[in-house]
Amino acid sequence: QVQLVESGGGSVQAGGSLRLSCAASAYTYNSRCMAWFRQAPGKEREGVALIANGGGGNTFYADSVKGRFTISQDNAKNTVYLQMNSLKPEDTAMYYCAAKFVGGCTWRPEYNYWGQGTQVTVSS
């Protein structure tokens, strides 16, 4: 099966930046959608950013991160990135990379493959 490995998480001060990476064992251009989800303690997993490989590679962002986060993809490296700027304490969560090979992008956590997660902690 496809393996996804996240990296780049860590602890930063509010207002700081991090870039998360998701390395895939398969060609990411074969996926229908790549996504970043996050889950904070006591909360359900929520979609953060999505990027479609069809239809012009449209991107989608949760309202809470619009203007601060950017999702991108480097097919040559089979890697998806999440650039996170102006981080807030509310962004603290475990961040997961996900891939979907059937259908299109969705905000629901209905993806075929998931990474193990990388922790992001933002202090005030």
Side-chain angles (χ1 to χ4, degrees):
Q1 65 176 24
V2 176
Q3 294 182 346
L4 304 175
V5 180
E6 303 98 330
S7 62
S11 298
V12 298
Q13 294 265 90
S17 299
L18 286 173
R19 187 180 73 162
L20 306 184
S21 298
C22 172
S25 63
Y27 297 109
T28 55
Y29 59 75
N30 284 331
S31 70
R32 297 297 183 93
C33 185
M34 300 295 295
W36 286 97
F37 282 74
R38 67 186 182 187
Q39 187 166 22
K43 296 184 178 181
E44 293 187 341
R45 190 167 298 188
E46 65 172 343
V48 176
L50 319 174
I51 183 166
N53 283 324
N58 291 339
T59 58
F60 308 89
Y61 298 93
D63 288 341
S64 60
V65 306
K66 285 181 180 178
R68 299 189 298 121
F69 291 10
T70 303
I71 186 171
S72 61
Q73 184 169 303
D74 185 341
N75 287 326
K77 296 182 178 180
N78 293 326
T79 301
V80 176
Y81 303 96
L82 183 67
Q83 179 66 47
M84 309 164 68
N85 298 326
S86 301
L87 284 162
K88 305 175 180 179
E90 306 94 275
D91 296 317
T92 296
M94 184 73 74
Y95 283 71
Y96 299 90
C97 177
K100 198 170 190 288
F101 287 82
V102 179
C105 287
T106 178
W107 288 109
R108 297 283 302 277
E110 300 172 344
Y111 287 72
N112 303 109
Y113 302 99
W114 295 85
Q116 84 290 346
T118 184
Q119 179 68 39
V120 172
T121 301
V122 185
S123 60
S124 60

